[in-house]
Amino acid sequence: KRVVIREFREGRIGKPVTAIELLSPTNKPPKSDYHLYQRKRQEVIASGVSLVEVDYLHESRPILSQIPHYPDEANSHPYYVLVTDVRATQPRKTVNVFAFGVDEAIPYVPIPLMGDEWVMFDLGRAYALTLGRGAWLRLAESMIEDNHQTARFDTYHPKDQVWIQSQLKGTST
């Protein structure tokens, strides 16, 4: 899913400034759409639109090979956000990685806007609002009711499994 932020001048909506992409399993290696996603990703960046990519999918490899694969590699995290800033006001394209673990707060992320402007986006609040609705809420409730087991629990690092279990135990009291 993608959200596009557009410029707004003199009461008119203008060109795209930043795209925010929530990665899906098919966007990531080794899935068949990975190469198509990479091509579209490069097209967005080449067009001068900054790109924010949110990855909550810890079971598959990151879309950039420079990011350590969780849970196998050192300094890896299950979740991350990539912010690729390609604004003309920047001396060069920058890619910032905001990685976080299961026991860490989801970070505020700087979203590039026009010129030198940016806004700090509370990604944790957006996640909580999403999780508190519809199918996501039913999934979370079923995980708690299902003897505190998460889907594919074994795919988390052992220390993360311990933390998740401690949190789930706290929900049953």
Side-chain angles (χ1 to χ4, degrees):
K1 299 289 180 190
R2 180 180 292 166
V3 172
V4 176
I5 300 171
R6 295 179 174 272
E7 68 181 352
F8 188 76
R9 287 189 182 171
E10 300 170 7
R12 296 178 187 232
I13 297 174
K15 66 178 184 156
V17 175
T18 300
I20 303 173
E21 182 87 29
L22 179 61
L23 296 178
S24 71
T26 60
N27 296 141
K28 298 182 69 186
K31 300 296 184 179
S32 59
D33 288 344
Y34 170 67
H35 295 291
L36 175 63
Y37 178 74
Q38 284 294 333
R39 190 178 82 235
K40 288 182 179 180
R41 179 181 190 277
Q42 291 305 319
E43 288 171 3
V44 168
I45 293 168
S47 73
V49 175
S50 293
L51 182 59
V52 177
E53 296 161 291
V54 182
D55 187 350
Y56 293 132
L57 304 169
H58 75 279
E59 291 186 51
S60 52
R61 295 197 72 78
I63 60 170
L64 297 182
S65 60
Q66 301 90 326
I67 298 173
H69 182 237
Y70 175 87
D72 307 321
E73 297 177 16
N75 300 316
S76 65
H77 295 82
Y79 317 113
Y80 66 90
V81 179
L82 293 176
V83 178
T84 304
D85 188 347
V86 297
R87 296 176 291 176
T89 58
Q90 302 301 310
R92 60 189 165 102
K93 173 182 84 170
T94 60
V95 179
N96 292 303
V97 179
F98 299 87
F100 53 102
V102 298
D103 60 343
E104 298 174 287
I106 299 173
Y108 280 74
V109 177
I111 306 292
L113 299 174
M114 292 178 49
D116 286 330
E117 296 177 349
W118 51 272
V119 63
M120 291 301 288
F121 182 65
D122 185 351
L123 191 58
R125 180 159 167 73
Y127 181 83
L129 287 171
T130 303
L131 193 61
R133 295 187 184 154
W136 287 107
L137 178 60
R138 287 188 298 279
L139 174 64
E141 289 171 342
S142 70
M143 286 168 40
I144 291 168
E145 292 170 5
D146 187 24
N147 295 323
H148 304 307
Q149 295 298 313
T150 63
R152 312 253 318 138
F153 187 71
D154 61 319
T155 62
Y156 288 92
H157 189 280
K159 75 173 180 58
D160 291 338
Q161 291 179 23
V162 169
W163 187 86
I164 293 167
Q165 287 286 27
S166 74
Q167 297 304 299
L168 291 172
K169 286 178 184 171
T171 61
S172 65
T173 57

